[in-house]
Amino acid sequence: MSGRAWGVLLVLCGAIFLEGIDIAMLNVALPSIRAELGLSTATLSGVVSAYVLGYGGFMLLGGRAADLYGRRRMFLTWLVVFLVFSGLGGFATEGWMLLLARFVTGVAAAFMTPAGLSIITTSFEEGPKRTKALLFYAGTAAGGFALGLVIGGLLTGIDWRWVFFTPVILAAVILAAALWLIKEPVKQARAARGLDFGGAVTVTAAMLLLAYGVIRLEHPGQGWGWTVASFAGGAAALVVFVAIERRSPAPLVRLGILRSGPLLRANISTLLYAGSFFGFQFLVTLYLQELRGWSTLETSLALLATGIDAILAPTLTPRLVAKFGNTRVIFGGIVLAVVAYALFLPLGMDWTYAAMFPSMILLGLGFALAYGPLTIVATDGVAEDEQGLAGGLLYTSFQFGAALGLSAVTAVSTAALGDGSPQAALGGFRAALVVPLVMAVLAAIVIAPRRQRASAKEARLAKEEAIPAS
């Protein structure tokens, strides 16, 4: 690749690293934020949920906007919004300020992230160059989350507000480099086409309602009325959206893209795999801090082993993909995750880190093998003017999967908590650990390599060749 191509890739990797580190650092800082601002448990949970709502609710619209209005324009505009509202979060003195800042930051990420991914998929031609770029990109994303846990622990020890100010500094550097390096293509397909307003409103309403429903699963004690209403409203909005898209001469989402078997399987596997990974990480964090009394920094360092994917994704994974293909490598990575979760099931009250380490390292290796190739499969063969949409679908699956995994393990562990004693809490964690295991097994089943069926024409020709001439 040329020097400029490397520069563009590094800028976009910096942006996905920024998104990963932002989420991870905030998760580590939540207890300190609650202590200083006096936030209730519901408000503290809302700080995380607000980001999920903004991200999941606007991701499809964000991905399509990149295709229609220019990938560079969307990337730069929403990077600025991300920068501003991340900084405003650091000045918050009330809970509602944090909620607003995190919601808008999530919306900014929903527009910025698929735009960045589509710049890569349209800047690097399909084949070895794109594969190398996407695997490098995936490794950086994973590295951002892994390093964010440690950096967040260090910054929180100084002042939790630096968890919000640090992304501002990083975003400013990325913005300056992007203005210089990233160029808008001379010809932006369908850029002059008007936005399908009805489709945009209904799909965003559907995603917001479904995301809210998933978030409410974490709090079964609050009743099921609003949860059921959210899912029902989201499903109804999706039905209306599909009806609009079928009749629209210029649909926001071409429904035919969902007929692609590889794309559909990649997105379903991504949803399940993300749910298993983030659900497991959340449980381990609670186990180490609340049951074992480990500090924030000790917990972050314990989870750091999973960050090995940042090294392996751009180095080992391309070689394996070249030899075995994307699907087999993804399947192998998810199987490693299944083994990692299974090894953690006999969780004990006095487990040493040596007992946990095999699961951590297998998870890191599995993520290195699965995440990047899933990105490749989800965008391979998609027309250039729909790359933003493909990225939006992928990240929507990832975000909804993460939210679903977190909600499911929270609900199961809470239901199994019993009398609240340490032994009962341990039983709750063990019960909840089954959730990531089941989700990973389902992801492996969905993405398992399939024997290609011959087309009807090929089958007919083979049959004719088998009949001896008279």
Side-chain angles (χ1 to χ4, degrees):
M1 292 191 291
S2 66
R4 175 170 287 276
W6 270 112
V8 170
L9 180 58
L10 289 175
V11 166
L12 298 171
C13 285
I16 198 67
F17 180 86
L18 168 68
E19 194 237 343
I21 201 173
D22 175 79
I23 297 170
M25 290 194 303
L26 177 64
N27 289 345
V28 172
L30 287 174
S32 298
I33 294 172
R34 171 156 64 178
E36 181 171 331
L37 299 184
L39 304 182
S40 66
T41 301
T43 303
L44 193 69
S45 174
V47 172
V48 177
S49 301
Y51 185 89
V52 174
L53 277 174
Y55 203 140
F58 288 84
M59 181 63 74
L60 275 178
L61 180 59
R64 201 63 185 122
D67 292 329
L68 299 177
Y69 300 113
R71 299 179 179 102
R72 180 180 185 271
R73 182 188 303 169
M74 288 293 104
F75 179 78
L76 294 177
T77 300
W78 290 98
L79 177 59
V80 171
V81 176
F82 189 99
L83 183 158
V84 170
F85 278 85
S86 182
L88 288 177
F91 291 109
T93 57
E94 300 287 342
W96 68 267
M97 296 179 182
L98 272 180
L99 292 173
L100 176 63
R102 292 309 293 171
F103 178 75
V104 179
T105 304
V107 174
F111 280 84
M112 180 181 75
T113 306
L117 177 61
S118 63
I119 290 173
I120 291 179
T121 55
T122 54
S123 298
F124 298 91
E125 61 187 26
E126 196 169 307
K129 285 186 178 180
R130 185 186 293 181
T131 297
K132 182 177 182 179
L134 287 175
L135 292 176
F136 197 87
Y137 183 74
T140 308
F145 193 84
L147 291 176
L149 294 170
V150 179
I151 296 171
L154 293 171
L155 291 176
T156 302
I158 302 170
D159 189 334
W160 64 263
R161 296 181 186 277
W162 277 104
V163 165
F164 291 91
F165 295 147
T166 300
V168 173
I169 299 170
L170 182 57
V173 173
I174 294 169
L175 179 62
L179 286 168
W180 175 46
L181 288 168
I182 299 177
K183 306 296 181 187
E184 193 73 79
V186 176
K187 185 178 181 181
Q188 178 77 33
R190 302 185 189 177
R193 195 183 81 183
L195 180 66
D196 173 13
F197 184 75
V201 171
T202 51
V203 76
T204 303
M207 294 298 103
L208 282 170
L209 287 167
L210 292 173
Y212 182 64
V214 168
I215 290 167
R216 282 193 60 86
L217 289 175
E218 297 178 23
H219 311 287
Q222 296 179 2
W224 293 100
W226 282 106
T227 305
V228 173
S230 297
F231 281 121
L238 273 181
V239 170
V240 175
F241 168 70
V242 170
I244 290 173
E245 298 308 279
R246 282 180 171 172
R247 291 171 173 78
S248 174
L252 180 76
V253 175
R254 184 179 62 83
L255 298 177
I257 195 173
L258 300 177
R259 298 193 189 109
S260 168
L263 181 144
L264 199 58
R265 287 194 296 274
N267 277 276
I268 294 172
S269 296
T270 297
L271 185 149
L272 292 166
Y273 186 55
S276 72
F277 185 84
F278 285 98
F280 176 81
Q281 206 164 53
F282 178 70
L283 285 174
V284 172
T285 300
L286 290 183
Y287 164 74
L288 293 177
Q289 290 192 22
E290 296 189 354
L291 200 59
R292 301 292 300 278
W294 289 27
S295 69
T296 300
L297 185 57
E298 286 172 332
T299 303
S300 301
L301 291 172
L303 293 169
L304 186 60
T306 61
I308 193 174
D309 54 351
I311 300 170
L312 297 179
T315 54
L316 174 64
T317 307
R319 298 178 184 180
L320 294 177
V321 166
K323 187 172 183 179
F324 301 107
N326 286 305
T327 304
R328 288 187 175 86
V329 173
I330 295 168
F331 180 71
I334 297 177
V335 168
L336 287 177
V338 170
V339 174
Y341 300 141
L343 289 175
F344 222 82
L345 287 178
L347 184 68
M349 190 70 75
D350 56 352
W351 262 28
T352 63
Y353 184 65
M356 307 176 208
F357 184 74
S359 290
M360 302 298 179
I361 204 72
L362 282 174
L363 269 183
L365 178 57
F367 204 87
L369 298 182
Y371 182 56
L374 277 170
T375 306
I376 295 169
V377 174
T379 55
D380 249 4
V382 177
E384 184 171 322
D385 65 330
E386 291 185 324
Q387 283 292 328
L389 171 60
L393 286 169
L394 177 68
Y395 285 116
T396 298
S397 300
F398 191 87
Q399 190 65 31
F400 268 84
L404 186 61
L406 289 170
S407 298
V409 298
T410 300
V412 172
S413 61
T414 302
L417 192 58
D419 59 8
S421 65
Q423 285 299 329
L426 181 63
F429 286 133
R430 284 176 175 169
L433 281 169
V434 175
V435 174
L437 178 63
V438 171
M439 294 185 82
V441 169
L442 292 175
I445 292 172
V446 170
I447 203 66
R450 288 162 172 77
R451 193 180 292 273
Q452 295 291 330
R453 293 182 179 179
S455 67
K457 183 178 179 181
E458 290 171 335
R460 180 174 54 79
L461 290 174
K463 186 176 180 181
E464 289 174 355
E465 290 174 1
I467 300 174
S470 56

